[in-house]
């Protein structure tokens, strides 16, 4: 199977100073890449190419709703729990875990593939399971809720929605400079390598890495 896409590069010496970033129209799983020059702007006869990618990550084989993403995170700034989800197609493993100090991690139910939101009023956690069902965690029990219930939840002023991690994340620093601080004084940020944590009075430390993007 072949995949073709035309890329436009710089056409002047001033434009060539800065790299031109082009995103593939769709994800491609490949071992080799061939570049075929189609046109050149005189007097340029040199081409440089860098390809950014990662190891193949699993995706569900079924249709997934817009709420699904392979990587996401959410902070409960009242309890200090920082939730991180990385989808796993292994049903014996948990896709979502949470921590308060970056070193001790607790696993959520193996059926949950993404934490969707937190209600700061009653500390209820909302998630998505492997069958595309929306669930609500209250206490220790996950309860299925309807799509209409989930849509109402999203409109609540007390609900904090999880943040998705872009698939084409290239930055090694914090995403958009976003830093989250919990009531226990810990600060959290997400970057290309993984999850970063700063304890009170401490320095930034990488406490977890994405499986596809270790460097």
């Amino acid at each position: 199977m072949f995949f073709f896409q035309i890329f436009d590069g710089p056409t002047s010496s001033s434009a060539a100073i800065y790299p031109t970033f082009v995103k593939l129209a769709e994800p491609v799983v490949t071992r080799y890449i061939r570049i075929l020059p189609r046109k050149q702007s005189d007097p340029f006869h040199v081409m440089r190419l860098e390809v950014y990618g990662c190891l193949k990550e699993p995706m569900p084989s079924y249709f997934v709703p817009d709420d699904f993403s392979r990587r996401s995170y959410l902070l409960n700034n009242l309890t200090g729990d920082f939730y991180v989800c990385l989808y796993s197609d292994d049903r014996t493993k948990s896709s979502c875990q949470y921590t308060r100090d970056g070193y001790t991690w607790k696993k959520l139910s193996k059926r949950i593939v993404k934490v969707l939101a937190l209600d700061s009023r009653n500390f209820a956690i909302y998630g998505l399971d492997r069958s595309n069902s929306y669930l609500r965690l209250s206490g220790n029990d996950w309860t299925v809720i309807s799509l209409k219930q989930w849509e109402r939840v999203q409109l609540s002023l007390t609900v904090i929605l999880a943040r998705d991690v872009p698939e084409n994340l290239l930055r090694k620093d914090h995403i958009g400079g976003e830093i989250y601080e919990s009531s226990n004084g810990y600060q959290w940020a997400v970057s290309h390598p993984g999850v970063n944590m700063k304890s009170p009075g401490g320095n930034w430390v990488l406490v977890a890495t994405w499986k596809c993007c270790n460097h």
Side-chain angles (χ1 to χ4, degrees), residues 58-72 85-88 95 112-116 128-130 132 134 150 164 167:
M59 282 288 285
S61 57
Y62 48 78
F63 171 78
V64 293
D66 293 337
D67 299 298
F68 175 82
S69 65
R70 290 189 293 184
R71 297 178 289 179
S72 58
C85 295
L86 172 62
Y87 173 78
S88 172
S95 295
I112 303 300
V113 295
K114 181 185 177 182
V115 171
L116 295 172
L128 187 71
D129 73 1
R130 295 183 181 276
N132 288 339
Y134 295 95
W150 166 239
D164 296 337
E167 293 293 328

Side-chain angles (χ1 to χ4, degrees), residues 164-179:
D164 296 337
V165 179
E167 293 293 328
N168 61 337
L169 177 62
L170 302 178
R171 297 169 61 99
K172 290 194 175 183
D173 54 349
H174 308 151
I175 298 178
E178 294 179 348
I179 297 176

Side-chain angles (χ1 to χ4, degrees), residues 137-189:
L137 175 64
S138 183
N140 296 319
D141 299 321
W142 288 96
T143 304
V144 176
I145 62 174
S146 66
L147 176 59
K148 288 187 177 181
Q149 287 178 301
W150 166 239
E151 291 174 344
R152 288 197 297 268
V153 166
Q154 296 179 78
L155 298 176
S156 173
L157 297 178
T158 60
V159 166
I160 303 171
L161 298 177
R163 301 295 300 272
D164 296 337
V165 179
E167 293 293 328
N168 61 337
L169 177 62
L170 302 178
R171 297 169 61 99
K172 290 194 175 183
D173 54 349
H174 308 151
I175 298 178
E178 294 179 348
I179 297 176
Y180 303 86
E181 184 170 355
S182 59
S183 58
N184 58 8
Y186 282 78
Q187 292 182 317
W188 303 89

